Amino acid sequence: MPDLSSPQLAPLPPLQAIRVFEAVARHLSFTKAAQELGMTQAAASYQIKVLEERIGAPLFLRRPKQIELTEPGQRLAPAVSEAFAILGQAYAAARGGADGLLCVTTVLTFASNWLAQHLGSFQLAHPALAVRLDTSSRLTDFAREDVDLAIRSGGGKWPGLESHKLLDADFTPMLSPKLAASIGGVSEPADLLRLPILDPGDIWWTQWFEAAGVAGHDLAKRPGSSMGAQAYEANAAMAGHGVAILTRALFKNEIADGRLVQPFDLVGDDGHAYWLVYPTARRNVPKIRAFRDWILAEIACP
């Protein structure tokens, strides 16, 4: 019966001895190599002696005020340097170093109305880390997609994922001052029904009107057009095309500038929020940790 066992690796000398050899060969100096590795010159010389005894041949020619690689040393040095380079690259890839590319997928409105307005501070803090944004509302398959983090709305509990709450996804009607003035102002919730309603099929409208005590609304009979994102509906509302139901935290600037007005203090809340999520197994990856710490601090700022 043939031997199907895996071939055994050839015995290797101590890793410390190989590391010292690489440094000495690169500097051609025991003193500089010892300084780089944080050891004494005597300790570096001892590690080279150990390696030479394993190989059975000298690796360096010791001359007054200089050293040179012997023929065996010249053969070994490039292979050792390449091996350490490959090991370093593999370690950086496995560790997911903070340098490189960070891929974030987020819903469109959060990207345009919050993330795009704040991302510059993250880039200044991490200039070596490029950020790629993907706007999508579909669920993310971290096992199959090249995505590091996702920002989604929901209840915040997804198996295998770490989740951090960013903003409450509350909702309340907003419209342009001009549209409100077109009916002499909006003084009570029922007044909104005298105006075009953007995306009347949105469940948020039904929930808000019920909370406001408005019965007998005609939302189900209105044209069921939908723009698919709060950002689009807000633009339509600012243009005076209708009343949108929006999340307050994402439209602070538009309200402050007077482009949108929130006519009522009543705010609906179905328990959903915007969450930062990523695989639990990758919670300590430096670039993920850097973005998580930044966005949580940024959200906490008033």
Side-chain angles (χ1 to χ4, degrees), residues 131-238:
V131 179
R132 187 182 74 198
L133 291 182
D134 171 62
T135 55
S136 172
S137 58
R138 60 180 174 76
L139 294 176
T140 301
D141 186 346
F142 286 97
R144 295 177 178 271
E145 300 178 50
D146 186 17
V147 172
D148 296 303
L149 308 107
I151 297 171
R152 291 289 183 270
S153 61
K157 294 183 179 180
W158 295 278
L161 298 181
E162 294 285 313
S163 58
H164 304 271
K165 187 177 179 180
L166 301 177
L167 299 170
D168 287 320
D170 57 22
F171 48 91
T172 191
M174 298 186 197
L175 69 164
S176 71
K178 184 177 180 180
L179 184 63
S182 70
I183 59 170
V186 176
S187 58
E188 58 184 47
D191 290 339
L192 297 175
L193 295 174
R194 298 164 56 194
L195 297 168
I197 299 293
L198 299 173
D199 195 1
D202 190 332
I203 189 63
W204 281 0
W205 276 119
T206 300
Q207 293 174 355
W208 189 87
F209 276 122
E210 287 179 355
V214 177
H217 55 71
D218 62 350
L219 294 179
K221 298 178 182 179
R222 299 198 179 202
S225 58
S226 173
M227 297 184 183
Q230 289 190 54
Y232 298 146
E233 292 166 8
N235 282 333
M238 286 186 285

Side-chain angles (χ1 to χ4, degrees), residues 27-51:
H27 290 292
L28 288 179
S29 167
F30 282 94
T31 301
K32 291 181 179 179
Q35 290 174 346
E36 177 183 300
L37 299 175
M39 61 175 59
T40 65
Q41 183 175 339
S45 297
Y46 173 76
Q47 293 296 334
I48 295 300
K49 181 179 179 182
V50 169
L51 188 57

